[in-house]
Amino acid sequence: MEGWQRTVGCGELREEDVGREVVLNGWVARRRNLGGLIFIDLRDRSGLVQVVFTPEQDPQLFAAAGDLRSEYVVAVDGRVRLRPPGRRTPLSPPAG
């Protein structure tokens, strides 16, 4: 699993991380397939993050994401992006 070491927790990502390349490890909380997009809600002990897969970026990876189910344990790498304006949810303060 070399190269798949977590670099940040799912619930630790913030706006200042936009553009950063990260590796996340966690459980699939939910998968939604909207045809041209697959959304995975990935969770770990620090919180939840949404991961988006598109066929334009990588058709094989998009197909594999379609096979994911709740509670599968996965590692993902990618670049942090903000949701488009109007589709953002307010950040809640960290629990603790």
Side-chain angles (χ1 to χ4, degrees):
M1 293 265 315
E2 191 174 322
W4 290 103
Q5 182 70 33
R6 173 183 30 218
T7 59
V8 66
C10 295
E12 298 169 354
L13 291 170
R14 298 292 177 256
E15 195 166 339
E16 41 288 355
D17 293 311
V18 170
R20 179 176 164 206
E21 188 80 22
V22 298
V23 176
L24 304 170
N25 303 147
W27 293 267
V28 175
R30 186 174 176 202
R31 177 185 57 86
R32 295 176 306 285
N33 187 337
L34 302 180
L37 295 172
I38 295 175
F39 296 95
I40 301 294
D41 292 337
L42 187 66
R43 67 177 171 82
D44 66 9
R45 65 186 180 133
S46 69
L48 192 73
V49 68
Q50 184 177 77
V51 180
V52 181
F53 298 89
T54 64
E56 296 82 24
Q57 285 182 310
D58 187 328
Q60 287 181 312
L61 185 59
F62 180 79
D67 293 334
L68 294 175
R69 298 292 178 259
S70 291
E71 297 304 314
Y72 277 26
V73 177
V74 298
V76 297
D77 72 333
R79 192 162 307 280
V80 178
R81 298 184 325 182
L82 281 177
R83 289 183 181 180
R87 296 189 180 209
R88 296 182 190 155
T89 54
L91 290 175
S92 19

